[in-house]
Amino acid sequence: MYVTVLLVLVCMLLNTAAQLLLKETMNTIGGFAFAFHNIIPIGMKIIFSPYFLGGLLAYVFSMILWLLVLSRLDVTVAYPLTSIAFIFTAIAGAWFFNEPITMVRLTGIVVIIGGIYLLTRA
């Protein structure tokens, strides 16, 4: 069971890393108009961004490990555990991008932790 918990945590850390890398991709590209004429130039910038490629790889590795998790846990237990990524991402967003963790967000994190606790007790 400890190996499965470790697999879930690694999956969620990879998921968080992917989110951070994708965010950095868009930080380097900047804002753009959502218009037909931007599809190719913005698409090319995204595709050739090293941050995007890193995020994509993190997602692929996360998916591979997630298949191992699903082979060991019921999906009704495994899938709600993905909410751990919300906690990791909030903390990482604050750390790397100086995004605020407001009282509302902190309350949400506490509720998620409570839900995870209840799920793992069942």
Side-chain angles (χ1 to χ4, degrees):
M1 183 63 171
Y2 293 112
V3 172
T4 304
V5 171
L6 182 62
L7 283 172
V8 169
L9 291 175
V10 171
C11 283
M12 295 309 100
L13 287 171
L14 283 168
N15 190 291
T16 298
Q19 289 298 317
L20 296 174
L21 289 163
L22 294 178
K23 174 64 175 167
E24 188 59 26
T25 299
M26 298 318 295
N27 283 347
T28 59
I29 291 173
F32 61 91
F34 191 71
F36 185 76
H37 69 275
N38 277 338
I39 292 174
I40 292 177
I42 298 299
M44 296 302 280
K45 285 182 182 179
I46 291 171
I47 289 171
F48 290 108
S49 166
Y51 298 113
F52 174 77
L53 296 174
L56 191 60
L57 280 174
Y59 269 135
V60 168
F61 288 127
S62 176
M63 185 186 307
I64 291 167
L65 291 179
W66 190 248
L67 291 172
L68 288 172
V69 170
L70 290 175
S71 73
R72 297 167 184 229
L73 291 176
D74 292 339
V75 72
T76 55
V77 174
Y79 188 68
L81 291 175
T82 62
S83 60
I84 294 169
F86 296 138
I87 299 165
F88 291 162
T89 305
I91 293 166
W95 181 268
F96 292 106
F97 299 118
N98 296 318
E99 296 177 357
I101 297 182
T102 63
M103 190 54 83
V104 172
R105 289 183 186 174
L106 188 58
T107 302
I109 289 170
V110 169
V111 169
I112 290 169
I113 291 170
I116 292 168
Y117 174 78
L118 292 174
L119 281 169
T120 58
R121 297 291 127 214

